[in-house]
Amino acid sequence: MTEVLPMRTSLSRPAAATILAIALAAVGLGPAASPAAAATVPAGSGSYTDSRPAGTSGPTTNTGAPVTPKLTAASRDKPVPTNDWWSSLAYQRYGDNPYSTPMYGHPLTYQATSGGLEVGYPTTPAIVGDGRQYEYAHKADLTVGLTGLNSPDTKADAWSDWTVTPYWSDGARTLRTTIGHGMPFVYAKGSGGDARVTTAGNPTVFADNGNVLGITVAGHHYALFAPTGSDWNVSGSTITAGLGGKDYFSLAVLPSTDALATYRKYAFSFVTGSQVAWQSTGGTVRATYSLTTEAKEGTERGTLQALYRHQWLHTTDALTPYTYVSPRGTMKVRESASFTTSQKNQGVLPALPASTGVDKARLTGYLNEVANASDPFSGAADTYWTGKALGRLAQLVPVADQIGQTGIRDKLLGLMKGRLQEWFTAGGASEFSYDKDWKTLTGYPASYGSDTELNDHHFHYSYYVYAAAIVAQYDQAWAADSAWGTMVKTLVRDSANPSRTDAAYPFLRGFDVYAGHSWASGHQGFAAGNNQESSSESVNLSAGLVLWGAATGDTGLRDLGSFLLTTESEAITQYWFDAGQQVFPGSFGHDTVGMVWGSGGAYSTWWTANPEEIHGINVLPVTGGSLHLAREKEAIRRNIAEMQRENGGPAVEWRDLLWEFESLADPAAAKAKWDAGNAGYGPEQGESKAHTYHWISTLDSLGAPDMTVSGDIPTSAVFTKNGVRTYSAHNHGSTARTVTFSDGKTLSVPARSTATGTGAGGGDPDPEEPGPSTGNTFRLKSGGTLTTATDGAAGADTLASADGVNRDGTPYRPTVYEIKGVEGTLAAGASTAFRLRVDAGTKVGLAPQVRVGYDLTGDGTFDRTETFRYFATDPVPGWEEYTQAVGPRSVTGSLGDLRGGTVRVEIWNALGSGTTQVQTGTDAAVVKIPYV
């Protein structure tokens, strides 16, 4: 059941939306109580209503009938996180489907039916939609249930950060199953019938040990676990087991049949909850993901969980050799109930710093065009377009202040305050209304299903929070709780609530902490699962939280924003832009997607097939929170090149956005396009010529953002041009402070001011990378890193198949190992050397191949690549040694000294139709570079 949302008539932001919700207790968002039973609820100087305006609608089915959450009695009064990967369990979008639409947990997929829970493990992608979409669509391998179960509906019974428990009851039988992201197990509890598993076709049994049964269905391996003393009975495609007076059983998808013994160990360690804890200190964001478990038999409380690519790239915790296929690339399995990730904080600035590249008179003229417009809000009436207009003005306030135009600054601030206060006061033409059934705050006039489908709250409200943060930077009294701050925090509670105990709003409504990004649809009522189009508008909320928290002294909200932004930045890099070219299927002919779905991704938007919008929708709005995009400059270049190919030439409609995007990688090229084309274009609705001119001219003067260096406060950034770094930081506090950067540079920043400084820095620019970034011999480490450390655990990574195509010389789904911030002087006469151990098992005709790349300055451009001849493996199990002695196949570019550089090793199968293994973490998994 796929639904087409209303088309937009303008060229901005698509309509598949999400709600990001944030709680309050941990970060001082106000009392965690439901609104009082009154028509108008006071909130500082502002207010909202507890009933919708006349003539408006709340959540409905697809036919317009009102709908309330589909919850059990145990969860009926709890705020449900609508915009999630499983939301169709609680939000019945279709009158004829009281169960669910397909839900994508990864590696498993699910769909509730009258007889129980369908479970699938899609491993082969399909390219659909005229080549514009790839998907690993749900297809049931089996259904988990009880004998005789025929439930009239399925309800959400319990949930935690990334798990959910659906509930079935037909009066005689009840069933609960706990499922989640990264969980290879399904944990079932039932009464009134025997355990029943129905398979799609007769299964092949590979292990039968009484209460433990190993089966293969549709090429996928599963293990079924009944209580000790029970026995599974196979009759055609129906498998049953008596529970012997117990009420539990489980199943797991296995990465291979020989994994059964490992998975059996944890079969009765039932997951009962999931929780993430984050910390942002000293320029580093750490997050620990933990599962709680209950031992149904014995004492084992551990478990197995599969990490997404954006997670395993940033953990040093030990991983097993087991892997799974997913729409997000390879998932790697950890044998533990928790793991921790660590990333550099992605900085946010109120505005780019001052530079000599900006002509103040010219910029003043552009600023006046906006400030003196007859309608600076361009007729905006609903939450989204009003937000866009507020965002456009908010970007210009610190720019005007920077060049001494305080009159323009204050005029813009006045316009923003006036419009925010209109929306923050109940009873006028625009207001916010609280829905006690869905426990959500909706702005009216609404748009793009923010009311009837609970779409896009995090998109819409991001602009209000960001604009309020800019106001707070200049007027702390306005932002006080007794004034307008309480209304800002109420929007935050709805869209990004960090509290799990708030009775009025759910925890992080739309941000999926395990998937690493937000979801846009409130009901998730699609065959492809949930979706998110404009990841950049989701980041806009995170950036707004950083700035609001910093401006108001709320370090809890500030650090929440840092966690959300840093986490989603990596997800965007991997799943929207496929920066490492490791996620999209080889048969998908695009380098980016406009939308991520639970089942895959699509080169499209909700409202147009124009390539400019497909590429630009994950860029807008361009703000000081967009700097994180500069981390993968090669991906930006590929993105712009594809846009121009698909567009049949340079951008026209959204040229300003795409110039700004390009300037994050190639400022001079973007400046040349601005110089040639700025006279005759109309800005994108959330942009202005003033902001675009300031952005492009500043980066042309200072250089692109240098993401290898981070500051110890989240409102800081570094730029590099011709080897010179410019350091910038904004201090929202009332006293001066010193900001320390990860390369050793310090910057003194006066109170309530921005400061800049230049220098070459010193020391290690990336102290959080595993292992020191000095020395010339690196070990391959599972998780995608190179390290000089010699005390790591031995392991092995799987190299993807070449899929029967000759890939000689061209990396195809390579396994990538990388280290950044490397300092080294080129050694005369030396050359790259490596020693690797590979094994193809009994498979015939496979050939691993290696490419080593050197990015000399860490700017994202690889100055030298060396591709070596492939190594033809034998079909005999056992490690074989592959070294540089095979000789180079091709070499491009030149070597030079490494100054904060990056070394990358790519390994792939050049030939054959099977996978191979490469050893990691040993002295036979090393690369030696020609440097001292």
Side-chain angles (χ1 to χ4, degrees), residues 350 394-395 397-398 413 416 465-475 547:
Q395 298 312 310
V397 169
L413 283 169
M416 292 162 60
V465 174
Y466 200 114
I470 295 299
V471 173
Q473 180 177 328
Y474 294 93
D475 187 347
L547 295 177

Side-chain angles (χ1 to χ4, degrees), residues 42-66:
S45 296
S47 57
Y48 57 94
T49 64
D50 65 356
S51 59
R52 288 187 292 274
T56 64
S57 296
T60 66
T61 66
N62 65 317
T63 60

Side-chain angles (χ1 to χ4, degrees), residues 283 314 343-349 352 565-566 569-570 573 624-633 636 664-665 699 703-711 714 716-720 725-726 741-743 765-769 820-821 855 857-860 900 902:
H314 295 286
Q343 294 176 256
K344 288 194 303 294
N345 201 340
Q346 304 298 303
V348 177
L349 294 175
L352 295 184
L565 194 159
T566 300
S569 173
E570 186 62 53
T573 295
S626 304
L627 303 177
H628 74 99
L629 294 170
R631 198 170 72 250
E632 296 288 346
K633 295 178 173 60
I636 293 176
L664 294 170
L699 291 181
D706 184 345
M707 307 307 292
T708 68
V709 184
S710 60
S716 59
V718 182
F719 308 86
T720 300
R725 286 178 177 151
T726 298
F741 292 85
S742 59
D743 64 352
D766 195 2
E768 293 305 317
E769 290 291 336
K820 297 181 178 180
D855 171 0
T857 61
D859 65 355
T902 300

Side-chain angles (χ1 to χ4, degrees), residues 682-693:
E684 185 272 334
Q685 287 93 328
E687 262 299 341
S688 63
K689 283 193 174 182
H691 180 255
T692 302
Y693 169 67

Side-chain angles (χ1 to χ4, degrees), residues 182-231:
M183 287 171 48
F185 285 93
V186 174
Y187 306 96
K189 295 182 66 175
S191 64
D194 293 341
R196 182 186 66 186
V197 174
T198 306
T199 59
N202 292 344
T204 299
V205 176
F206 66 82
D208 189 350
N209 301 305
N211 69 318
V212 178
L213 186 71
I215 61 173
T216 301
V217 182
H220 304 138
H221 310 301
Y222 292 89
L224 312 182
F225 305 99
T228 298
S230 299
D231 189 22

Side-chain angles (χ1 to χ4, degrees), residues 355 357-358 671 674 692-702:
S355 77
V358 173
K671 180 63 160 53
W674 161 267
T692 302
Y693 169 67
H694 180 266
W695 182 275
I696 291 174
S697 298
T698 300
L699 291 181
D700 183 55
S701 177
L702 302 181

Side-chain angles (χ1 to χ4, degrees), residues 5-6 8 13-18 57 381-388 423 442-457 459-461 464:
L5 299 186
R8 297 174 187 249
R13 230 226 42 63
T18 276
S57 296
D382 62 54
T383 48
Y384 181 70
W385 290 103
T386 297
K388 290 270 289 187
W423 277 90
T442 302
Y444 292 92
S447 53
Y448 306 120
S450 61
D451 50 353
T452 56
E453 300 177 57
L454 298 183
N455 294 338
D456 294 13
H457 286 208
F459 291 162
H460 295 208
Y461 302 171
Y464 293 75

Side-chain angles (χ1 to χ4, degrees), residues 515-663:
H517 59 81
S518 297
W519 296 111
S521 169
H523 51 74
Q524 186 256 311
F526 303 96
N530 214 322
N531 69 87
Q532 178 164 259
E533 186 180 55
S534 184
S535 60
S536 47
E537 286 181 304
S538 179
V539 164
N540 194 47
L541 177 57
S542 304
L545 291 173
V546 171
L547 295 177
W548 172 265
T552 61
D554 190 334
T555 56
L557 273 186
R558 181 200 67 189
D559 292 349
L560 170 67
S562 291
F563 163 66
L564 297 177
L565 194 159
T566 300
T567 303
E568 190 153 23
S569 173
E570 186 62 53
I572 293 165
T573 295
Q574 301 300 331
Y575 311 139
W576 274 261
F577 296 158
D578 194 15
Q581 299 179 292
Q582 297 286 293
V583 174
F584 298 167
S587 51
F588 182 61
H590 295 283
D591 291 323
T592 190
V593 295
M595 304 172 68
V596 161
W597 287 89
S599 65
Y603 186 78
S604 63
T605 73
W606 279 106
W607 83 106
T608 181
N610 187 342
E612 295 182 36
E613 281 81 357
I614 293 171
H615 288 257
I617 194 59
N618 285 291
V619 176
L620 65 80
V622 176
T623 75
S626 304
L627 303 177
H628 74 99
L629 294 170
R631 198 170 72 250
E632 296 288 346
K633 295 178 173 60
E634 282 192 71
I636 293 176
R637 296 184 183 102
R638 286 199 307 270
N639 194 306
I640 294 295
E642 180 180 20
M643 183 280 297
Q644 293 185 162
R645 288 195 308 271
E646 295 286 333
N647 204 45
V652 177
E653 292 167 347
W654 278 9
R655 68 183 76 180
D656 46 358
L657 287 172
L658 294 164
W659 290 339
E660 291 171 302
F661 184 39
E662 186 172 14
S663 70

